[in-house]
Amino acid sequence: MKRVVAPSGTRKITRRDSLKLAGAAAAGMPMAAIAQRASAQATADRPEGGAGDRRFPDGFYWGTATSAYQIEGAWNEDGKGASIWDTFAHTPGKIANGDTGDVANDHYHRYKEDVALMKDIGVKAYRFSISWPRIFPEGTGRPNEKGIDFYNRLVDELKSADIEPFATLYHWDLPQALQDKYGGWRSREIPEAFGDYAGYVAGKLSDRARHFFTINEFSSFVEMGYGGFQTNINGKIVSFEAAPGLHLERAEVNQIKHHTVIAHGLAVEAVRAMGKPGTKVGPAEVIQAAVPLIEAPRHIKAAEAATREANAAFLTVMLEGKYTDAYLAGLGADAPKFTEEELRIIASPVDFIGINVYKPARYVLATDEAPGWRVVPFARSHPKMFNRWLTLAPEVIYWAPKITQSLWGAKEIFITENGCASDDVITEDGMVYDTDRIMFLRAFLTQLQRATADGVPVRGYFQWSSMDNFEWIEGFGNRFGLIHVNFETQKRTPKASAHWFREAAMRNAVA
Ligand code: FCB
């Protein structure tokens, strides 16, 4: 690490300043305004480029992310069809507290306020998802004009706020009609329908939205929705379910994985065919990143090889055009059935690779025996965030893009999600002091900057999430937002982390 010398003219907030701020609080000034004033003051005091070599590249997209079902509400308005998440959340016992996304953040009606708030907190790019059943209530066939109109209005609002729109085409809300008719992703019909839908949306929005993500977290929705996913957290087996809540045999789950990557490839082709010239498209997968426990060349090589295998069903086949031998051999009779033509579609060239990065899939060390690495378990005392699954390991956001680059030579990389929930409370002064989230962001973004400084082409970062929202089976109990939402009144309150984000985005640097 290079030593960074504070440039002359940099002024810290002194004890006198903080006394002044405390005085303002005593004078009844709201804490949010005070924090804003302090941050504006600190920025004004700094010479340009004050962060020295801790800056991100020029034009770096400081973004936030959400998804349709988690924020929109309006679940049956303006001709929208039901999605598998509507059905799942309406099934008693599936979601904590019986919460549903029927209203969620009511973003469908409040999108203008939400865009204005994002602008206030320094957001330069926004990754949202499009609800497939809002556009095609039956999954295929006749589009619903009012559905696409909503996204037209949202994109216009973003453009006029100088926020770059990034649209995800599938964030888990399959039209229920396709589940009923074909059994959902079990069917080879779904990739075809998805391609048609993707082309239609690109044709409508790509005059203003220049970036499209095909599918969000392939592995998560397949394993949780169709595989009855279970994992060991601190010695306890915990189940994570998602819509449609099926528990199929492995062979069928593996075939579904194959269908999702075909869908991705068909969508890439459709966006290219129907989008305006220059429209960019790529996946948004939660990369299973192996992190070298020790930073020595042989362990780094081992981490690359382990990452390639761990992503065999998704990123590796999309970017290499074949399933690895080890993947197919390991599955044996449960391996997916596929054709050469399908592999060609799956590997349709992408413009960028989007990766969601929360935690390492594993730490590894090199070994002399095949396959050349071994997994090192997390220590029992390894720190975790509010969610017990979220092991704190900020270096993963350095290694994940770095390994993505060395394995697949990505032209551009986006961190499509990163973030944490915290046990937020509104204090008497009306603020949320989410110190753990700020610690998390600072640590992760410092590591991400390290990747960009190494020349890894990371073009943007999307913090999950702009605002608290419906966190799948956890309902509204897991707060991931930079902006706090009171789900009874729909009041939005930027948290301390939003002020932190704004400062970092404004300076294009972490510190
Ligand atoms: C990711 C999902 C996103 C949100 C975050 C916390 O796996 O893509 O919708 O739930 O986790």
Side-chain angles (χ1 to χ4, degrees), residues 316-323 340 343-344 346-347:
T316 307
V317 69
M318 280 179 224
L319 299 164
E320 298 185 14
K322 66 192 276 292
Y323 289 113
E340 287 302 313
L343 291 180
R344 194 200 56 73
I346 291 168

Side-chain angles (χ1 to χ4, degrees), residues 36-49:
Q36 199 116 358
R37 194 171 89 178
S39 124
Q41 179 64 38
T43 306
D45 286 349
R46 259 182 230 119
E48 228 191 300

Side-chain angles (χ1 to χ4, degrees), residues 21-22 24-26 29-36 38 385 420-441 468 479 481-484 493-500:
L21 294 172
M29 203 170 158
M31 198 56 206
I34 295 168
Q36 199 116 358
M385 302 304 293
C420 65
S422 64
D423 190 9
D424 295 324
V425 282
I426 300 224
T427 49
E428 273 182 9
D429 61 5
M431 274 291 278
V432 176
Y433 295 99
D434 49 346
T435 56
D436 51 350
R437 180 173 291 107
I438 293 179
M439 177 270 295
F440 184 96
L441 290 177
D468 296 341
R479 295 181 172 274
L482 294 176
I483 296 172
H484 181 274
T493 308
K495 302 176 191 176
S497 57
H499 296 284
W500 184 93

Side-chain angles (χ1 to χ4, degrees), residues 329-347:
L331 295 179
D334 291 341
K337 314 267 176 293
F338 57 91
T339 65
E340 287 302 313
E341 173 58 7
E342 287 171 345
L343 291 180
R344 194 200 56 73
I345 294 168
I346 291 168

